[in-house]
Amino acid sequence: MVLTHGTFTIEDTAKYIGKLNLKKTIVLVGSFVLGTSIGTDAPFNLGYAICSVQILKPGVYVAMNGTIFHWKNVTKNLETNKFEQR
């Protein structure tokens, strides 16, 4: 399952869903640049999430900028505006 989500609270939602232990593969994805803007990263991130959900083991993940983060190990660095491992 691929879920589109705003990046500000995506890690909170991933943690909430991850703790439910649903035994499904769920990938949350968003974009740093609004999808309707020129230069948006939304199409790349969405395509990456769609490919990732097909090969990942059951669990909850965040897919951003060509990187997969497990729900237990993701944080958004507000200073650099990038996702990182905790």
PDB file of all heavy atoms in Angstrom, residues 1 4-6 11 17 21 23 31 35 37 39-41 45 49 52 56-57 60 62 68 75 84-85:
ATOM      1  N   MET A   1       0.845  -1.159   0.000  1.00  0.00           N
ATOM      2  CA  MET A   1       0.000   0.000   0.000  1.00  0.00           C
ATOM      3  C   MET A   1       0.900   1.234   0.000  1.00  0.00           C
ATOM      4  O   MET A   1       1.865   1.306   0.760  1.00  0.00           O
ATOM      5  CB  MET A   1      -0.880  -0.022   1.257  1.00  0.00           C
ATOM      6  CG  MET A   1      -1.819   1.141   1.367  1.00  0.00           C
ATOM      7  SD  MET A   1      -2.825   1.101   2.876  1.00  0.00           S
ATOM      8  CE  MET A   1      -3.606  -0.470   2.744  1.00  0.00           C
ATOM      9  N   THR A   4       0.075   8.691   0.173  1.00  0.00           N
ATOM     10  CA  THR A   4       0.652  10.026   0.022  1.00  0.00           C
ATOM     11  C   THR A   4       0.364  10.808   1.289  1.00  0.00           C
ATOM     12  O   THR A   4      -0.696  10.667   1.912  1.00  0.00           O
ATOM     13  CB  THR A   4       0.094  10.754  -1.210  1.00  0.00           C
ATOM     14  OG1 THR A   4      -1.325  10.863  -1.096  1.00  0.00           O
ATOM     15  CG2 THR A   4       0.449  10.009  -2.487  1.00  0.00           C
ATOM     16  N   HIS A   5       1.312  11.657   1.687  1.00  0.00           N
ATOM     17  CA  HIS A   5       1.214  12.317   2.985  1.00  0.00           C
ATOM     18  C   HIS A   5       2.040  13.593   2.959  1.00  0.00           C
ATOM     19  O   HIS A   5       3.061  13.661   2.281  1.00  0.00           O
ATOM     20  CB  HIS A   5       1.759  11.366   4.055  1.00  0.00           C
ATOM     21  CG  HIS A   5       1.341  11.690   5.446  1.00  0.00           C
ATOM     22  ND1 HIS A   5       1.793  12.794   6.121  1.00  0.00           N
ATOM     23  CD2 HIS A   5       0.523  11.032   6.287  1.00  0.00           C
ATOM     24  CE1 HIS A   5       1.265  12.804   7.336  1.00  0.00           C
ATOM     25  NE2 HIS A   5       0.477  11.731   7.459  1.00  0.00           N
ATOM     26  N   GLY A   6       1.651  14.562   3.725  1.00  0.00           N
ATOM     27  CA  GLY A   6       2.459  15.769   3.908  1.00  0.00           C
ATOM     28  C   GLY A   6       3.727  15.423   4.670  1.00  0.00           C
ATOM     29  O   GLY A   6       3.725  14.533   5.528  1.00  0.00           O
ATOM     30  N   GLU A  11       6.446  11.297   9.612  1.00  0.00           N
ATOM     31  CA  GLU A  11       7.100  10.357  10.531  1.00  0.00           C
ATOM     32  C   GLU A  11       6.171   9.985  11.685  1.00  0.00           C
ATOM     33  O   GLU A  11       6.189   8.843  12.157  1.00  0.00           O
ATOM     34  CB  GLU A  11       8.434  10.888  11.040  1.00  0.00           C
ATOM     35  CG  GLU A  11       8.342  12.092  11.939  1.00  0.00           C
ATOM     36  CD  GLU A  11       9.702  12.601  12.372  1.00  0.00           C
ATOM     37  OE1 GLU A  11      10.288  12.026  13.311  1.00  0.00           O
ATOM     38  OE2 GLU A  11      10.171  13.579  11.768  1.00  0.00           O
ATOM     39  N   ILE A  17       1.128   3.976  12.461  1.00  0.00           N
ATOM     40  CA  ILE A  17       0.741   2.794  11.693  1.00  0.00           C
ATOM     41  C   ILE A  17       1.683   1.625  12.000  1.00  0.00           C
ATOM     42  O   ILE A  17       1.253   0.489  12.129  1.00  0.00           O
ATOM     43  CB  ILE A  17       0.717   3.098  10.181  1.00  0.00           C
ATOM     44  CG1 ILE A  17      -0.346   4.152   9.869  1.00  0.00           C
ATOM     45  CG2 ILE A  17       0.447   1.827   9.376  1.00  0.00           C
ATOM     46  CD1 ILE A  17      -0.278   4.676   8.443  1.00  0.00           C
ATOM     47  N   ASN A  21       1.303  -2.981  13.816  1.00  0.00           N
ATOM     48  CA  ASN A  21       1.798  -4.301  13.410  1.00  0.00           C
ATOM     49  C   ASN A  21       0.810  -5.014  12.476  1.00  0.00           C
ATOM     50  O   ASN A  21       0.360  -6.118  12.744  1.00  0.00           O
ATOM     51  CB  ASN A  21       2.101  -5.151  14.640  1.00  0.00           C
ATOM     52  CG  ASN A  21       3.035  -6.288  14.330  1.00  0.00           C
ATOM     53  OD1 ASN A  21       3.770  -6.244  13.347  1.00  0.00           O
ATOM     54  ND2 ASN A  21       3.017  -7.312  15.155  1.00  0.00           N
ATOM     55  N   LYS A  23       1.126  -6.354   9.476  1.00  0.00           N
ATOM     56  CA  LYS A  23       1.604  -7.445   8.607  1.00  0.00           C
ATOM     57  C   LYS A  23       1.371  -7.148   7.127  1.00  0.00           C
ATOM     58  O   LYS A  23       1.056  -8.035   6.341  1.00  0.00           O
ATOM     59  CB  LYS A  23       0.958  -8.784   8.981  1.00  0.00           C
ATOM     60  CG  LYS A  23       1.090  -9.166  10.427  1.00  0.00           C
ATOM     61  CD  LYS A  23       2.509  -9.486  10.797  1.00  0.00           C
ATOM     62  CE  LYS A  23       2.560 -10.007  12.237  1.00  0.00           C
ATOM     63  NZ  LYS A  23       3.795  -9.753  12.894  1.00  0.00           N
ATOM     64  N   SER A  31       6.340  15.033  -0.750  1.00  0.00           N
ATOM     65  CA  SER A  31       7.287  15.820  -1.547  1.00  0.00           C
ATOM     66  C   SER A  31       7.649  17.083  -0.781  1.00  0.00           C
ATOM     67  O   SER A  31       6.856  17.596   0.010  1.00  0.00           O
ATOM     68  CB  SER A  31       6.690  16.182  -2.907  1.00  0.00           C
ATOM     69  OG  SER A  31       5.547  16.987  -2.753  1.00  0.00           O
ATOM     70  N   GLY A  35       3.387  19.586  -5.255  1.00  0.00           N
ATOM     71  CA  GLY A  35       3.215  18.820  -6.480  1.00  0.00           C
ATOM     72  C   GLY A  35       2.805  19.623  -7.695  1.00  0.00           C
ATOM     73  O   GLY A  35       3.055  19.223  -8.827  1.00  0.00           O
ATOM     74  N   SER A  37       3.928  22.650  -8.326  1.00  0.00           N
ATOM     75  CA  SER A  37       4.989  23.624  -8.595  1.00  0.00           C
ATOM     76  C   SER A  37       5.995  23.086  -9.608  1.00  0.00           C
ATOM     77  O   SER A  37       6.209  21.872  -9.703  1.00  0.00           O
ATOM     78  CB  SER A  37       5.731  23.969  -7.305  1.00  0.00           C
ATOM     79  OG  SER A  37       4.866  24.546  -6.371  1.00  0.00           O
ATOM     80  N   GLY A  39       9.484  22.022 -10.820  1.00  0.00           N
ATOM     81  CA  GLY A  39      10.624  21.472 -10.092  1.00  0.00           C
ATOM     82  C   GLY A  39      10.240  20.600  -8.909  1.00  0.00           C
ATOM     83  O   GLY A  39      11.078  20.285  -8.072  1.00  0.00           O
ATOM     84  N   THR A  40       8.982  20.180  -8.843  1.00  0.00           N
ATOM     85  CA  THR A  40       8.548  19.345  -7.731  1.00  0.00           C
ATOM     86  C   THR A  40       9.242  17.987  -7.748  1.00  0.00           C
ATOM     87  O   THR A  40       9.567  17.461  -8.808  1.00  0.00           O
ATOM     88  CB  THR A  40       7.022  19.152  -7.737  1.00  0.00           C
ATOM     89  OG1 THR A  40       6.661  18.371  -6.590  1.00  0.00           O
ATOM     90  CG2 THR A  40       6.558  18.439  -8.983  1.00  0.00           C
ATOM     91  N   ASP A  41       9.451  17.435  -6.556  1.00  0.00           N
ATOM     92  CA  ASP A  41      10.019  16.098  -6.438  1.00  0.00           C
ATOM     93  C   ASP A  41       8.925  15.044  -6.279  1.00  0.00           C
ATOM     94  O   ASP A  41       9.220  13.863  -6.117  1.00  0.00           O
ATOM     95  CB  ASP A  41      10.998  16.032  -5.261  1.00  0.00           C
ATOM     96  CG  ASP A  41      10.380  16.463  -3.945  1.00  0.00           C
ATOM     97  OD1 ASP A  41       9.358  17.166  -3.937  1.00  0.00           O
ATOM     98  OD2 ASP A  41      10.937  16.103  -2.884  1.00  0.00           O
ATOM     99  N   ASN A  45       9.350  10.866  -6.219  1.00  0.00           N
ATOM    100  CA  ASN A  45       9.101  10.199  -4.939  1.00  0.00           C
ATOM    101  C   ASN A  45       7.964   9.186  -5.050  1.00  0.00           C
ATOM    102  O   ASN A  45       8.046   8.091  -4.485  1.00  0.00           O
ATOM    103  CB  ASN A  45       8.806  11.225  -3.844  1.00  0.00           C
ATOM    104  CG  ASN A  45      10.031  12.015  -3.453  1.00  0.00           C
ATOM    105  OD1 ASN A  45      11.158  11.599  -3.662  1.00  0.00           O
ATOM    106  ND2 ASN A  45       9.815  13.177  -2.871  1.00  0.00           N
ATOM    107  N   ALA A  49       8.303   5.200  -4.470  1.00  0.00           N
ATOM    108  CA  ALA A  49       7.471   4.511  -3.473  1.00  0.00           C
ATOM    109  C   ALA A  49       6.738   3.327  -4.104  1.00  0.00           C
ATOM    110  O   ALA A  49       6.651   2.252  -3.500  1.00  0.00           O
ATOM    111  CB  ALA A  49       6.474   5.485  -2.851  1.00  0.00           C
ATOM    112  N   SER A  52       9.234   0.602  -4.583  1.00  0.00           N
ATOM    113  CA  SER A  52       9.691   0.087  -3.285  1.00  0.00           C
ATOM    114  C   SER A  52       8.676  -0.832  -2.632  1.00  0.00           C
ATOM    115  O   SER A  52       9.046  -1.860  -2.057  1.00  0.00           O
ATOM    116  CB  SER A  52      10.004   1.249  -2.343  1.00  0.00           C
ATOM    117  OG  SER A  52      11.033   2.045  -2.863  1.00  0.00           O
ATOM    118  N   LEU A  56       9.759  -4.553  -0.805  1.00  0.00           N
ATOM    119  CA  LEU A  56      10.010  -4.517   0.638  1.00  0.00           C
ATOM    120  C   LEU A  56       9.244  -5.608   1.377  1.00  0.00           C
ATOM    121  O   LEU A  56       8.161  -6.022   0.960  1.00  0.00           O
ATOM    122  CB  LEU A  56       9.609  -3.156   1.211  1.00  0.00           C
ATOM    123  CG  LEU A  56      10.482  -1.981   0.789  1.00  0.00           C
ATOM    124  CD1 LEU A  56       9.815  -0.661   1.169  1.00  0.00           C
ATOM    125  CD2 LEU A  56      11.856  -2.086   1.414  1.00  0.00           C
ATOM    126  N   LYS A  57       9.799  -6.038   2.485  1.00  0.00           N
ATOM    127  CA  LYS A  57       9.117  -6.985   3.370  1.00  0.00           C
ATOM    128  C   LYS A  57       8.005  -6.246   4.097  1.00  0.00           C
ATOM    129  O   LYS A  57       8.021  -5.014   4.189  1.00  0.00           O
ATOM    130  CB  LYS A  57      10.108  -7.554   4.383  1.00  0.00           C
ATOM    131  CG  LYS A  57      11.167  -8.417   3.758  1.00  0.00           C
ATOM    132  CD  LYS A  57      12.120  -8.938   4.808  1.00  0.00           C
ATOM    133  CE  LYS A  57      13.183  -9.795   4.128  1.00  0.00           C
ATOM    134  NZ  LYS A  57      14.130 -10.357   5.073  1.00  0.00           N
ATOM    135  N   VAL A  60       6.300  -0.827   7.784  1.00  0.00           N
ATOM    136  CA  VAL A  60       5.917   0.541   7.441  1.00  0.00           C
ATOM    137  C   VAL A  60       7.189   1.336   7.166  1.00  0.00           C
ATOM    138  O   VAL A  60       8.142   1.302   7.960  1.00  0.00           O
ATOM    139  CB  VAL A  60       5.096   1.186   8.573  1.00  0.00           C
ATOM    140  CG1 VAL A  60       4.743   2.625   8.230  1.00  0.00           C
ATOM    141  CG2 VAL A  60       3.828   0.368   8.830  1.00  0.00           C
ATOM    142  N   VAL A  62       8.992   5.029   5.041  1.00  0.00           N
ATOM    143  CA  VAL A  62       8.861   6.341   4.420  1.00  0.00           C
ATOM    144  C   VAL A  62       9.837   6.361   3.249  1.00  0.00           C
ATOM    145  O   VAL A  62      11.019   6.029   3.409  1.00  0.00           O
ATOM    146  CB  VAL A  62       9.193   7.475   5.416  1.00  0.00           C
ATOM    147  CG1 VAL A  62       9.229   8.821   4.718  1.00  0.00           C
ATOM    148  CG2 VAL A  62       8.191   7.488   6.570  1.00  0.00           C
ATOM    149  N   ILE A  68      14.808   4.766   1.459  1.00  0.00           N
ATOM    150  CA  ILE A  68      13.741   4.142   2.233  1.00  0.00           C
ATOM    151  C   ILE A  68      14.129   4.203   3.699  1.00  0.00           C
ATOM    152  O   ILE A  68      15.240   3.842   4.072  1.00  0.00           O
ATOM    153  CB  ILE A  68      13.555   2.657   1.831  1.00  0.00           C
ATOM    154  CG1 ILE A  68      13.084   2.553   0.396  1.00  0.00           C
ATOM    155  CG2 ILE A  68      12.598   1.946   2.774  1.00  0.00           C
ATOM    156  CD1 ILE A  68      11.694   3.066   0.165  1.00  0.00           C
ATOM    157  N   THR A  75      13.540  10.482  10.792  1.00  0.00           N
ATOM    158  CA  THR A  75      13.242  11.793  11.355  1.00  0.00           C
ATOM    159  C   THR A  75      13.464  12.848  10.280  1.00  0.00           C
ATOM    160  O   THR A  75      14.277  12.660   9.373  1.00  0.00           O
ATOM    161  CB  THR A  75      14.111  12.092  12.601  1.00  0.00           C
ATOM    162  OG1 THR A  75      13.639  13.283  13.218  1.00  0.00           O
ATOM    163  CG2 THR A  75      15.574  12.240  12.252  1.00  0.00           C
ATOM    164  N   GLU A  84      16.285  11.843   7.585  1.00  0.00           N
ATOM    165  CA  GLU A  84      17.503  11.162   8.006  1.00  0.00           C
ATOM    166  C   GLU A  84      17.132   9.964   8.868  1.00  0.00           C
ATOM    167  O   GLU A  84      16.034   9.906   9.400  1.00  0.00           O
ATOM    168  CB  GLU A  84      18.368  12.097   8.858  1.00  0.00           C
ATOM    169  CG  GLU A  84      18.734  13.384   8.199  1.00  0.00           C
ATOM    170  CD  GLU A  84      19.414  14.363   9.153  1.00  0.00           C
ATOM    171  OE1 GLU A  84      19.302  14.199  10.397  1.00  0.00           O
ATOM    172  OE2 GLU A  84      20.039  15.310   8.660  1.00  0.00           O
ATOM    173  N   GLN A  85      18.104   9.066   9.039  1.00  0.00           N
ATOM    174  CA  GLN A  85      17.926   7.998  10.003  1.00  0.00           C
ATOM    175  C   GLN A  85      18.155   8.575  11.391  1.00  0.00           C
ATOM    176  O   GLN A  85      18.980   9.472  11.552  1.00  0.00           O
ATOM    177  CB  GLN A  85      18.909   6.865   9.742  1.00  0.00           C
ATOM    178  CG  GLN A  85      18.618   6.126   8.472  1.00  0.00           C
ATOM    179  CD  GLN A  85      19.521   4.922   8.311  1.00  0.00           C
ATOM    180  OE1 GLN A  85      20.255   4.542   9.198  1.00  0.00           O
ATOM    181  NE2 GLN A  85      19.468   4.315   7.138  1.00  0.00           N
TER     182      GLN A  85
END
